[in-house]
Amino acid sequence: INCNESLHNHLIDRHKPIFPFSQFIMFFVALSAGGKSPKKYGPINLIDQMDKPMLFIYSMEDTYSIPKYEQLLYDKCGSKKKRLVWFDHGVHSHVRIHAPEKYDETIKEFIRDYIDE
């Protein structure tokens, strides 16, 4: 699991060729990150250092950040205050539109439990 895999899933979903787009995008991401490679410094490589409250919201329909990888990311997260909430519908950033009440309540509950202490 790394940024490259998610990018590949985006490109496939949009019917774009992985080569050369993936290489160009990763080059510019590294350039904008001060030369740090997204493959080496991606979320899965650093999330164990996280000590802030983390709320993970994912959809079982996500084709970019697929569920098995999101569970790995959650499991590896170093925060003692973390929560993973699954939604049945919604692709990637379109989760709320399918269940706005549950989505909003999930965020409110997380804030009540972990932020407003």
Side-chain angles (χ1 to χ4, degrees), residues 4 10 17 83 100 105:
N4 213 25
H10 275 79
R83 182 169 298 153
E105 189 54 40

Side-chain angles (χ1 to χ4, degrees), residues 8-108:
H8 286 187
N9 291 339
H10 275 79
L11 294 170
I12 291 167
D13 187 58
R14 294 179 181 188
H15 308 289
K16 304 292 182 195
I18 292 173
F19 179 84
F21 290 115
S22 179
Q23 288 75 10
F24 284 129
I25 292 168
M26 286 299 165
F27 171 76
F28 286 111
V29 168
L31 191 63
S32 68
K36 296 192 187 248
S37 165
K39 289 182 182 179
K40 184 175 180 183
Y41 293 99
I44 195 66
N45 304 99
L46 301 173
I47 199 156
D48 60 322
Q49 299 171 29
M50 179 58 67
D51 62 356
K52 303 292 184 220
M54 292 286 295
L55 174 59
F56 296 79
I57 295 177
Y58 293 112
S59 166
M60 297 303 289
E61 294 179 341
D62 199 329
T63 56
Y64 301 151
S65 299
I66 59 176
K68 74 175 183 175
Y69 291 145
E70 300 324 317
Q71 185 66 50
L72 290 171
L73 195 63
Y74 173 80
D75 292 343
K76 191 173 179 193
C77 179
S79 176
K80 302 237 186 295
K81 297 178 179 182
K82 62 184 180 179
R83 182 169 298 153
L84 173 60
V85 180
W86 290 100
F87 286 77
D88 293 328
H89 303 289
V91 177
H92 204 57
S93 61
H94 300 155
V95 176
R96 185 179 184 274
I97 196 167
H98 296 282
E101 295 85 15
K102 179 183 175 187
Y103 189 94
D104 292 349
E105 189 54 40
T106 295
I107 293 171
K108 290 176 190 174

Side-chain angles (χ1 to χ4, degrees), residues 53-54 81 107 109-117:
M54 292 286 295
K81 297 178 179 182
I107 293 171
E109 184 178 294
F110 181 78
I111 291 170
R112 280 193 304 268
D113 292 349
Y114 292 130
I115 308 298
D116 289 340
E117 294 185 331

